[in-house]
């Protein structure tokens, strides 16, 4: 799949374990980024529930065709 022109990766600020994922907020974030209208916009989760996380690990990358959506 092709991704949108602009992206931003969110990294962990500490170590631990992924205990859950809030799908309501992920869905809201995807809509702010332009999905589903913009088929290249969306997000990529680098970790799954129960995965160990170390400081500075990539957790989430967001993609959008708009820099304004990325900054929100």
């Amino acid at each position: 799949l092709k991704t949108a022109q602009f992206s931003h990766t969110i990294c962990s600020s500490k170590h631990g374990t992924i205990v859950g994922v809030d799908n309501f907020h992920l869905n809201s974030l995807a809509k702010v980024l332009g999905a589903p209208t913009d088929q290249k916009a969306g997000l990529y989760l680098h970790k799954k529930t129960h995965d160990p996380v170390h400081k500075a690990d990539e957790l989430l990358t967001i993609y959008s065709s708009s820099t304004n959506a990325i900054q929100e």
Side-chain angles (χ1 to χ4, degrees):
L1 295 175
K2 290 189 175 190
T3 57
Q5 180 180 2
F6 303 104
S7 67
H8 177 71
T9 300
I10 298 166
C11 298
S12 173
S13 61
K14 57 185 177 179
H15 69 278
T17 303
I18 303 292
V19 295
V21 177
D22 187 335
N23 287 328
F24 177 80
H25 286 105
L26 291 178
N27 183 45
S28 298
L29 175 59
K31 287 181 180 180
V32 168
L33 296 170
T37 306
D38 179 359
Q39 293 185 1
K40 294 180 181 180
L43 44 94
Y44 179 79
L45 300 174
H46 295 276
K47 300 285 185 179
K48 298 182 283 185
T49 305
H50 307 295
D51 280 356
V53 176
H54 302 286
K55 188 173 183 176
D57 278 359
E58 294 181 343
L59 299 176
L60 172 75
T61 302
I62 57 176
Y63 299 95
S64 181
S65 296
S66 164
T67 57
N68 292 335
I70 293 285
Q71 293 173 352
E72 283 184 37

